[in-house]
Structures are given as C-alpha cells and as structure tokens.
Amino acid sequence: MNNTPALPTSQDVHREAISVLIEQLGITKAAIFLGETRWQPTDYLQLKQQLFAGETVSSLYEKVIHWREQQQHS
C-alpha cells in the first residue's frame, strides 16, 4: 500500500497562488500583477538559479522527502 501523499497538481498550485495574491493584494493589484507577468518573457534559467541557488539534487530530494513526511502526519 502506498501511503505517500500525492504532489499537488500544477493547476491546484496556480489556483492557490491566485487566491493568495487576491487575499494579500486585493483583486485590482492581483489582476495587474498577473496581467503583467503573464505576458512578459521569462528567463527560466535565471529563475531556476534564483529559486534553487546552492541546492543539489540530493538536497532537493531530502526536502521533498521531508515535505511528504509532514503531509502524512497532518
């Protein structure tokens, strides 16, 4: 039996992120932010370097394992 929690889908993450933006910024500011970021080109390599600076495959794997363990206990 597999007791590993499923990772959230991309669509679920997008919905949650939009909800948080609206809650924190209000609908007008959230709409402006989403409109501007959606149409601007993104340098995904630069974004990856910013998000995962100093990380290795092993350290990321350990973080995923830790996250899964937390999900099982909640």
Side-chain angles (χ1 to χ4, degrees), residues 17-58:
I18 291 169
S19 293
V20 169
L21 284 172
I22 292 170
E23 288 173 19
Q24 293 298 312
L25 300 176
I27 190 71
T28 303
K29 289 180 181 178
I32 291 168
F33 173 78
L34 290 169
E36 288 181 359
T37 57
R38 182 161 178 96
W39 300 112
Q40 292 182 3
T42 301
D43 183 346
Y44 290 103
L45 292 177
Q46 181 183 14
L47 181 61
K48 178 188 75 124
Q49 290 169 350
Q50 288 174 347
L51 291 174
F52 304 115
E55 296 287 355
T56 64
V57 171
S58 295

